[in-house]
Amino acid sequence: MLKKILIANRGEIAVRVMRACRELDIPCAAVYSEADQDALFVKYAGEAHCIGPAPASQSYLKIDRIIETALQIGADAIHPGYGFLAENNEFAAACETADIKFIGPSSKVIALMGDKVAARAVMAKAGVPLVPGTDDCVSDPGKAQALVAKIGYPVIIKPSGGGGGIGMTVVSNENELDKALKDTQTIAANTFGFSDVYIEKYLPNPRHIEFQVLVDAKGNAIHLGERECSIQRRHQKLIEESPSPAVNPLQRNQMGDMAAGALGSAGYEGAGTVEFLFSDGQFYFLEVNARVQVEHPVTEMVTGVDIVKEQIRIASGLPLSISKEQIRMNGSAIECRINAEDALNDFVPTPGKLQRYLHPGGAGIRVDSGVYAGYTIPPHYDSMISKLIAWGKDRDEAIARMRRALDEYVIVGTSTNIPFHMAVMKNLRFSQGKIGTHFIENEAGLMEDMRALIDQGQTLADRLSFKSVHKGRVAALAAAAVVTQMMVHQKKTGG
Ligand code: MV4
């Protein structure tokens, strides 16, 4: 087993990884930026080292500083979490050079999966269905016109170095193609450092469904079923669930085995996700995420498998702790990402101090977070406060528990997207499982429902935070404070 793990990340995922380390009895250390001095993950860590100023480019993305720290403290492994350096092949290579185990696939495989055109080829070879599209990068407008004529409009142009939707352009007819191609190449070059793009048939309102895969160092690959992640806004997932209400057991096992087999044959090691679009009962490969994902807890809730502990076992060279035959999907789990943002003001981030904070609990509820009452969310990173996960014996119970938990959640000091989640949980189409990647923009009533929920007045969370119970008393105290201030002022000025 690994001897000491440095966690090259922050927030809830740093806490999540450290919890796994504690259960495995492996010492761990945190690195943090100057903005994270008071963060929960720094307090939780047995050992923590400041590696630089608040901007990620000067701390969490500083490869040399992180490697240097790992060597200094005698860590034999680094867990990268998600985001930051998690899918940076140069970071994985630097770990390999320093003889530190990067908890994830090799730098070579990360680079392969990061090249979306190359990843498509790997999947095609393994027999995984792709969205109809180009086999190679496209740069010549004449060739693009000819290729798209075969596929048919609409199409979507995607940067090969990208992923997650950034810089993608939908093209609905041949007159738009030349300009869209040029524009997407420019965006690709500016965002990802190279201008390579590829073209796919554009599917209207597909579901986004992904399979969780684990591959050990010997190449044994299993899948833990799928997650449905269709509820997203501007390429940011907001609600994820497992299993998908649209996938039947036969499809699950066929696609899951295919996804696991493909990663296994590509020399992948560790936890990974194979993303698909799902439309009219068909799966179409999108991309591979070579990391643990934000939404991994819903899979843990329905399978009982601790994905982070499996990552650490795999990195230690141990076999998976479970076999394919032992995996069973039990019940249903939903995750809501609770963000510090103003749902009524275009979801702008609202970092700030959590004056009161009481998270829900009880049967079937899990909260993964990196905050506490009195903590100030810094403005330099993402605005996620926590992940609220509800498990139920079936989807209806999971939704009922999520509604109850959202109602219990006390967060005072910053606005949150909890009203948005409440509106989705009581949405008829959502409860029927009729969702797609354009759900939010298509549900015109959602914003109105949210406004009504906010205006409704006293909620269970208000009562739990003594907001309205003590309203009169709080008002009296405020008035007394004003009078005292006036008296002090009069005394000073002699007025
Ligand atoms: C697509 C698609 C339709 N057809 N690919 C990929 C990453 C994910 N976050 C969004 N992606 C999409 N890929 C094909 N072949 C639709 C989306 C998509 C989308 C694309 C561009 C802008 C906004 C979007 C919102 C939801 C889904």
Side-chain angles (χ1 to χ4, degrees):
M1 196 61 105
L2 295 169
K3 297 210 161 47
K4 183 172 182 178
I5 300 176
L6 181 141
I7 291 111
N9 214 301
R10 64 178 301 281
E12 67 85 18
I13 194 65
V15 176
R16 169 71 188 87
V17 174
M18 290 190 287
R19 283 177 167 151
C21 290
R22 286 188 81 92
E23 289 177 25
L24 291 168
D25 212 10
I26 300 172
C28 58
V31 288
Y32 64 98
S33 78
E34 286 163 14
D36 278 336
Q37 221 119 33
D38 300 324
L40 183 69
F41 77 96
V42 173
K43 296 178 195 295
Y44 195 102
E47 184 185 336
H49 302 273
C50 186
I51 51 165
S57 60
Q58 295 175 54
S59 48
Y60 298 108
L61 293 172
K62 275 263 180 224
I63 294 178
D64 293 350
R65 280 295 282 129
I66 294 166
I67 300 275
E68 194 184 305
T69 306
L71 291 172
Q72 269 169 13
I73 66 171
D76 60 349
I78 294 181
H79 195 300
Y82 54 69
F84 296 121
L85 295 169
E87 290 174 282
N88 184 312
N89 61 294
E90 287 172 23
F91 182 54
C95 290
E96 289 158 12
T97 304
D99 206 20
I100 295 165
K101 179 65 189 171
F102 175 85
I103 302 178
S106 69
S107 59
K108 244 178 69 188
V109 170
I110 293 176
L112 179 69
M113 297 307 169
D115 179 337
K116 303 307 167 191
V117 170
R120 266 172 71 86
V122 168
M123 290 296 142
K125 214 177 122 195
V128 178
L130 308 183
V131 191
T134 58
D135 294 335
D136 281 304
C137 299
V138 184
S139 55
D140 179 66
K143 281 190 189 141
Q145 287 284 3
L147 282 163
V148 174
K150 276 192 240 164
I151 303 168
Y153 287 92
V155 295
I156 181 166
I157 310 176
K158 302 182 172 186
S160 183
I166 299 148
M168 296 179 179
T169 314
V170 178
V171 186
S172 50
N173 64 66
E174 61 185 48
N175 303 323
E176 295 171 6
L177 185 63
D178 291 10
K179 185 182 182 310
L181 183 63
K182 237 169 101 196
D183 290 351
T184 312
Q185 285 172 321
T186 306
I187 296 168
N190 292 339
T191 318
F192 307 111
F194 56 113
S195 62
D196 291 357
V197 300
Y198 62 108
I199 303 176
E200 284 178 356
K201 175 93 187 160
Y202 179 74
L203 306 174
N205 202 19
R207 289 167 183 267
H208 177 136
I209 295 174
E210 58 187 31
F211 281 83
Q212 178 67 57
V213 174
L214 297 172
V215 192
D216 70 17
K218 297 235 160 54
N220 299 309
I222 63 167
H223 76 87
L224 302 179
E226 80 285 5
R227 295 183 286 261
E228 161 117 31
C229 311
S230 295
I231 312 273
Q232 52 96 42
R233 192 181 164 275
R234 298 193 183 158
H235 305 304
Q236 203 204 6
K237 294 168 185 166
L238 288 169
I239 299 171
E240 304 97 341
E241 59 181 303
S242 184
S244 163
V247 175
N248 67 44
L250 185 70
Q251 289 171 314
R252 172 171 310 119
N253 285 321
Q254 278 179 350
M255 279 321 298
D257 284 346
M258 221 174 244
L263 288 194
S265 69
Y268 195 96
E269 180 193 304
T273 300
V274 185
E275 289 188 349
F276 294 91
L277 295 178
F278 185 73
S279 182
D280 300 320
Q282 287 288 116
F283 284 99
Y284 303 95
F285 169 73
L286 260 192
E287 52 192 70
V288 173
N289 298 134
R291 59 167 192 274
V292 70
Q293 289 194 272
V294 177
E295 60 269 27
H296 76 277
V298 292
T299 299
E300 295 187 324
M301 299 288 268
V302 296
T303 62
V305 176
D306 186 317
I307 292 168
V308 178
K309 282 203 285 199
E310 292 302 319
Q311 283 189 297
I312 295 170
R313 282 181 63 89
I314 295 166
S316 303
L318 296 167
L320 300 173
S321 73
I322 19 85
S323 68
K324 181 176 152 59
E325 292 70 35
Q326 289 171 307
I327 305 290
R328 244 183 327 115
M329 305 273 282
N330 182 25
S332 169
I334 302 175
E335 170 179 283
C336 288
R337 299 191 190 186
I338 309 298
N339 296 333
E341 53 190 30
D342 188 350
L344 289 181
N345 185 16
D346 204 29
F347 294 87
V348 291
T350 54
K353 185 171 176 182
L354 300 174
Q355 277 149 2
R356 287 176 190 277
Y357 181 82
L358 181 65
H359 71 231
I365 297 299
R366 166 175 171 180
V367 181
D368 278 23
S369 94
V371 306
Y372 53 86
Y375 174 67
T376 300
I377 299 165
H380 310 87
Y381 313 105
D382 73 25
S383 61
M384 195 161 75
I385 296 172
S386 73
K387 305 186 302 201
L388 174 58
I389 305 116
W391 179 89
K393 63 186 180 306
D394 52 32
R395 191 168 183 269
D396 287 344
E397 188 176 52
I399 292 174
R401 282 181 168 158
M402 182 62 84
R403 292 184 65 171
R404 182 270 290 172
L406 287 165
D407 223 27
E408 284 178 8
Y409 216 145
V410 176
I411 300 177
V412 179
T414 173
S415 46
T416 76
N417 61 354
I418 288 175
F420 165 81
H421 289 301
M422 287 174 161
V424 176
M425 290 305 133
K426 67 188 268 299
N427 178 281
L428 183 67
R429 241 96 42 198
F430 179 81
S431 59
Q432 293 170 335
K434 293 178 182 164
I435 52 183
T437 45
H438 297 277
F439 176 82
I440 295 176
E441 60 210 75
N442 289 347
E443 282 302 310
L446 218 51
M447 293 299 138
E448 269 320 299
D449 292 348
M450 200 169 75
R451 219 175 291 271
L453 283 164
I454 292 170
D455 291 343
Q456 224 168 59
Q458 195 190 306
T459 64
L460 175 54
D462 287 339
R463 292 205 300 277
L464 294 171
S465 71
F466 314 112
K467 233 164 124 183
S468 40
V469 175
H470 291 293
K471 222 180 215 161
R473 191 171 144 71
V474 170
L477 283 170
V482 169
V483 170
T484 311
Q485 278 299 312
M486 282 165 58
M487 284 161 64
V488 170
H489 183 75
Q490 279 169 1
K491 214 171 177 180
K492 267 195 200 152
T493 57

